[in-house]
Amino acid sequence: CRRPRRQSFARDHQARAAAKAPRLARERLRGLFGPLAHRLAFRFLLLEILLALKARRVPVFALSNIGETTFRIAAARYPVLGAFDRAYVSGALRLIKPDPRIYAAVETDSGIAPGGLLFTDDRADNIEAAAARGWQTHLFEHPEGFAERLVAEGLLNLEEAA
């Protein structure tokens, strides 16, 4: 009778370990490689967030102030850029953030009303321009803060954001 209990314990332990693996991997990377690991962990967490949102069927868009050719090169090198439902690239739109017209273009193309859009950016002027149009906004400082915001908005649960 004890053998099944041990196997059950082992399975439970493996499940708990697997659930913690991404967080532990990020922590170990930071400890091993310092700043480089921090950048890798940063990208890893952003990818996890993107995939968790996609799994919940939350539309995820990129809005970038880069050229069309630069974006194509980046997308070829970083396939994660292809995971976005739509990429709004300033070079293609001939508009740049924080011009209010770029936000209007996203609203029109996506068919989502301003209040239904949650925009994150690391520049306050871009955040202010989006907020002026009625978008929900988050000033991006680190992935963990953004994950917390997504949980607060009900777009992810705590497990998905970890």
Side-chain angles (χ1 to χ4, degrees):
C1 191
R2 283 190 166 198
R3 181 167 279 228
R5 286 179 85 185
R6 285 186 183 152
Q7 288 174 346
S8 175
F9 173 79
R11 273 195 311 273
D12 291 347
H13 178 72
Q14 287 172 343
R16 283 192 302 276
K20 292 179 183 177
R23 180 178 49 81
L24 291 174
R26 288 192 301 270
E27 290 170 5
R28 286 185 183 132
L29 280 173
R30 283 188 193 117
L32 290 173
F33 299 106
L36 172 62
H38 180 71
R39 285 195 304 272
L40 291 172
F42 177 91
R43 288 182 179 147
F44 187 62
L45 182 55
L46 286 176
L47 175 60
E48 289 177 338
I49 290 170
L50 173 64
L51 295 176
L53 289 168
K54 301 265 306 164
R56 284 185 160 230
R57 299 196 192 300
V58 174
V60 183
F61 308 131
L63 176 57
S64 179
N65 270 355
I66 66 173
E68 213 172 348
T69 302
T70 304
F71 188 83
R72 275 198 309 274
I73 292 168
R77 184 166 181 184
Y78 303 104
V80 67
L81 292 175
F84 288 96
D85 294 300
R86 179 87 162 88
Y88 297 95
V89 178
S90 59
L93 296 170
R94 307 274 191 249
L95 299 165
I96 61 169
K97 299 177 287 183
D99 184 332
R101 295 176 298 166
I102 199 166
Y103 304 99
V106 172
E107 295 161 16
T108 301
D109 183 75
S110 71
I112 300 174
L117 294 164
L118 174 59
F119 175 67
T120 187
D121 199 285
D122 61 351
R123 292 185 45 146
D125 57 339
N126 294 336
I127 291 292
E128 291 164 9
R133 291 200 56 84
W135 292 27
Q136 299 174 66
T137 60
H138 175 82
L139 183 62
F140 188 91
E141 295 172 338
H142 51 81
E144 293 86 0
F146 186 48
E148 289 171 11
R149 174 65 186 269
L150 294 170
V151 170
E153 295 292 333
L155 296 170
L156 293 180
N157 63 39
L158 288 171
E159 184 179 306
E160 294 163 326

